[in-house]
Amino acid sequence: MKLLRFGTAGQERPGALDTQGRVRDLSGVVADIDGATLSDEALAKLRAVDLDTLPLAPADVRYGPCVGKVGKFLCIGLNYADHAAESGLPIPEEPVLFTKATSAIVGPNDTVLKPRGSTKLDWEVELGVVIGKTASYVDEADAEAHIAGYCVINDVSERAFQLERGGTWDKGKGCDTFGPIGPWLVTRDEVADPANLKMWLKVNGKTFQDGSTATMIFKPAFIVAYLSRFMTLQPGDVISTGTPPGVGLGQRPEVYLDVGDVMELGIEGLGQQRQVVAQA
């Protein structure tokens, strides 16, 4: 299934794509697409619904973040060897963990705001993992069963805030609108191999990132098992698993986003996003 949320920001309704790619309204079936509806049992009930009997959403409807009420927004840094190299940083021996504020979460095509004082606004197409079952000290072999599905994430970053302002990376990662998620949450049964998906990102029509999840250092199941050693992962938590090379920081000379720039990005089978940069 391709689950989604649609409508005005803050008032999104749950939905799903039918076989013709149209948005069907699930609000008569579930209250939202969130942790409460992401267990295997709840997803099985949704699969049993005849989508063709449900109301259609307007054709031009806004897509919201594909997961609501996100409890934790966790991110893995430097998870592609070639991205670590372009960043001038060593390949990590263990996953590098940081967090994005949940207030950064927006829809896949919403405006991205350039923060006041920003000088190095950057992009990162990433595979998102959405937790469907509580995970605490799980083994890697069992970790996939704790994943509800996958989605596209743009890990928007402000490099000066991240790397030049002291402390951890979080200051450059959690600004408002820095977490576009969606358009869809694709359930794990429809993603044959999450570690072998093409991914890409363009700025103003120019391709900067053209990679694959195949070059991830730490794969999704390992990441879930690893993180579950340090904290309990709960249904609806989102993990952004790192980016391939081609970010603005890695260009020579470096290239950063400015007001009016347009980002387009996507991952094979998981949909596409488009954001325009505006001033905060």
Side-chain angles (χ1 to χ4, degrees):
M1 289 183 296
K2 293 181 173 66
L3 301 173
L4 56 96
R5 300 168 71 247
F6 67 93
T8 305
Q11 300 178 38
E12 291 91 350
R13 300 163 73 93
L17 283 194
D18 65 18
T19 55
Q20 298 181 57
R22 299 175 299 183
V23 175
R24 296 284 182 166
D25 189 343
L26 281 174
S27 56
V29 182
V30 292
D32 202 353
I33 303 301
D34 58 17
T37 57
L38 296 178
S39 68
D40 286 349
E41 295 77 14
L43 291 176
K45 290 180 181 179
L46 286 180
R47 288 189 189 94
V49 173
D50 182 358
L51 294 181
D52 291 339
T53 67
L54 300 180
L56 283 167
D60 59 350
V61 72
R62 168 189 173 269
Y63 282 86
C66 61
V67 186
K69 305 181 185 73
V70 175
K72 293 190 286 296
F73 193 176
L74 306 172
C75 304
I76 305 300
L78 306 174
N79 195 25
Y80 290 70
D82 32 14
H83 172 56
E86 74 172 352
S87 301
L89 297 168
I91 295 173
E93 296 182 3
E94 296 187 43
V96 175
L97 173 65
F98 63 93
T99 64
K100 291 176 84 81
T102 55
S103 54
I105 295 173
V106 291
N109 304 315
D110 288 348
T111 299
V112 165
L113 297 176
K114 183 178 182 181
R116 298 172 189 178
S118 168
T119 58
K120 297 182 178 181
L121 187 63
D122 207 347
W123 57 83
E124 295 189 8
V125 58
E126 305 204 2
L127 173 69
V129 171
V130 181
I131 298 298
K133 177 182 176 182
T134 299
S136 178
Y137 295 104
V138 300
D139 294 329
E140 184 177 356
D142 300 323
E144 186 177 358
H146 295 74
I147 296 172
Y150 303 90
C151 62
V152 181
I153 296 177
N154 188 355
D155 176 19
V156 183
S157 307
E158 212 301 332
R159 302 302 188 187
F161 294 1
Q162 176 189 357
L163 302 171
E164 302 170 18
R165 299 291 296 271
T168 63
W169 289 1
D170 297 31
K171 282 185 278 189
K173 294 287 191 173
C175 302
D176 291 352
T177 74
F178 275 24
I181 297 179
W184 318 311
L185 189 169
V186 182
T187 52
R188 72 172 189 270
D189 59 298
E190 293 194 5
V191 183
D193 186 359
N196 189 25
L197 300 174
K198 295 179 181 178
M199 54 202 311
W200 56 271
L201 183 144
K202 299 179 181 180
V203 178
N204 299 330
K206 178 181 177 179
T207 298
F208 280 89
Q209 293 188 276
D210 183 11
S212 169
T213 58
T215 63
M216 284 193 294
I217 300 167
F218 306 109
K219 309 302 183 184
F222 178 88
I223 290 170
V224 169
Y226 180 86
L227 293 180
S228 78
R229 304 175 196 173
F230 301 97
M231 66 193 76
T232 297
L233 302 177
Q234 298 164 317
D237 286 349
V238 175
I239 305 169
S240 200
T241 59
T243 195
V247 300
L249 177 68
Q251 306 302 309
R252 295 297 178 264
E254 296 174 3
V255 176
Y256 294 111
L257 297 163
D258 206 347
V259 172
D261 286 342
V262 178
M263 291 177 281
E264 298 171 283
L265 57 146
I267 299 178
E268 178 184 0
L270 304 184
Q272 301 181 19
Q273 301 184 354
R274 182 182 186 274
Q275 299 107 27
V276 179
V277 179
Q279 186 63 54

